[in-house]
Amino acid sequence: MIKIIVCGASGRMGARILELGSKDSKFSLVGGIESTNHPQLGKKILDGKLMVQGDLNLFKDKAEVLIDFTSPEATLHHLETIQNWNGMKTVIGTTGFSSTQKEKIQELSKKMAILLSPNMSVGVNLLLDLARQAAKTIPGYDIEIIETHHNQKKDAPSGTAIALASEITDELKRNPKSDWIYGREGNVGARKPKEIGIHAIRGGDVVGDHTVVFAGQGERIELTHKASSRDAFALGALRAAEWISNKKSGLYSMKDVLQ
Ligand code: NAD
């Protein structure tokens, strides 16, 4: 059994990972960590089998993989806390890291195995491949990315929209700084051929929709993924935890898991 700690235990994702992980005999859930002011701190969850705790240090040498779905600052704090723990691996689902924070994760991955993926679902990882394939096949088409999420999501555009834009940008050798356009307002003029438009919609309880539009002369192709529940991400995170449990230090992504 793989011993798991979940950080963000009472969050939308963390709670689902704990619930699904507790039903899978491959995993033993040893810790559920929350922020130190969270109302669920000290409360028992999973039918009394686990208590929500605020101090990650309580679990030193008691776990093999940490799964983190919190915030960029909290994730970095957790990585720094466990960086010298013997053989500890990490699966990071948190999104919204700045480039400096990503560099820090890269640096820490020299010491331990870290898997970082803005979207753990199998379907979205297929969408990333399909978007790259489409960009390669029809390079002259106008490309726009539209993402929709629930009204509590903090970062925009979503990590998945950025991953889609990065995939296409890499394939077409474009430049994120000059070619990525976040929404449009005012007299912006005609669309430049190399633009990749990225648009974030927020509302209701939408789990996560992503569409990549390729618009050409007289036709339009739309590649869409819709998550109908968080289980797609939670199951992906557990699959990633199993995969990374025997890996050496390095920075991995969901693509490595799904190869
Ligand atoms: P949420 O707000 O419901 O949950 C986050 C939880 O983290 C909260 O319960 C919060 O109290 C807790 N937290 C904050 N600071 C903490 C700390 N220092 N220690 C421990 N816990 C702490 O958010 P969510 O919808 O569960 O999403 C969490 C993150 O995961 C977001 O960045 C989101 O974009 C991302 N996400 C990723 C995927 C994916 O597949 N990679 C899927 C969905 C969401």
Side-chain angles (χ1 to χ4, degrees):
M1 289 223 275
I2 303 161
K3 296 190 206 100
I4 305 268
I5 301 171
V6 175
C7 288
S10 302
R12 282 173 286 255
M13 279 304 304
R16 210 57 210 130
I17 292 165
L18 285 168
E19 186 64 38
L20 293 172
S22 71
K23 293 179 181 139
D24 189 329
S25 58
K26 286 196 288 293
F27 305 109
S28 162
L29 302 170
V30 298
I33 307 294
E34 256 303 336
S35 52
T36 46
N37 57 357
H38 197 279
Q40 261 203 321
L41 227 55
K43 301 244 167 74
K44 294 260 178 102
I45 53 172
L46 301 177
D47 296 328
K49 285 187 227 109
L50 198 70
M51 187 193 281
V52 179
Q53 306 266 14
D55 184 4
L56 183 55
N57 281 303
L58 292 171
F59 298 95
K60 186 168 184 327
D61 298 330
K62 290 186 181 146
E64 294 158 273
V65 182
L66 181 147
I67 302 179
D68 196 301
F69 280 74
T70 55
S71 68
E73 295 70 28
T75 303
L76 257 306
H77 176 66
H78 296 145
L79 287 177
E80 277 159 8
T81 304
I82 65 166
Q83 60 180 312
N84 294 319
W85 292 12
N86 197 13
M88 193 69 182
K89 283 99 184 167
T90 310
V91 171
I92 304 173
T94 307
T95 60
F97 294 104
S98 66
S99 39
T100 313
Q101 288 170 325
K102 279 190 200 150
E103 278 165 26
K104 184 73 192 161
I105 293 172
Q106 180 89 52
E107 189 61 30
L108 286 164
S109 74
K110 290 180 188 153
K111 286 187 187 180
M112 60 181 151
I114 299 177
L115 186 145
L116 174 66
S117 177
N119 198 306
M120 303 273 174
S121 96
V122 174
V124 158
N125 283 278
L126 173 63
L127 180 69
L128 289 168
D129 286 347
L130 293 173
R132 181 183 277 268
Q133 176 67 29
K136 189 178 174 184
T137 311
I138 44 174
Y141 280 43
D142 295 332
I143 303 169
E144 301 275 315
I145 297 167
I146 304 152
E147 57 100 338
T148 309
H149 281 87
H150 55 88
N151 57 22
Q152 299 300 304
K153 184 164 175 63
K154 295 188 180 83
D155 53 319
S158 69
T160 305
I162 293 169
L164 285 162
S166 303
E167 202 79 30
I168 293 162
T169 299
D170 184 55
E171 181 60 42
L172 299 177
K173 311 275 179 289
R174 293 198 184 162
N175 181 350
K177 287 211 171 76
S178 55
D179 297 334
W180 292 11
I181 305 293
Y182 301 96
R184 293 184 181 85
E185 191 196 20
N187 189 15
V188 293
R191 188 187 194 285
K192 295 182 194 73
K194 286 190 168 177
E195 282 182 7
I196 298 176
I198 307 174
H199 312 277
I201 296 169
R202 294 289 173 267
D205 59 358
V206 179
V207 174
D209 295 353
H210 291 88
T211 295
V212 189
V213 180
F214 295 86
Q217 205 66 23
E219 65 175 2
R220 186 169 82 240
I221 298 155
E222 297 188 359
L223 301 175
T224 296
H225 176 272
K226 293 185 180 188
S228 48
S229 92
R230 289 184 175 79
D231 288 11
F233 313 129
L235 290 169
L238 289 164
R239 187 168 166 179
E242 185 186 0
W243 181 89
I244 206 170
S245 63
N246 60 6
K247 294 292 174 290
K248 296 214 162 63
S249 57
L251 188 58
Y252 303 96
S253 78
M254 210 53 198
K255 279 195 176 172
D256 299 305
V257 180
L258 299 173
Q259 262 177 12

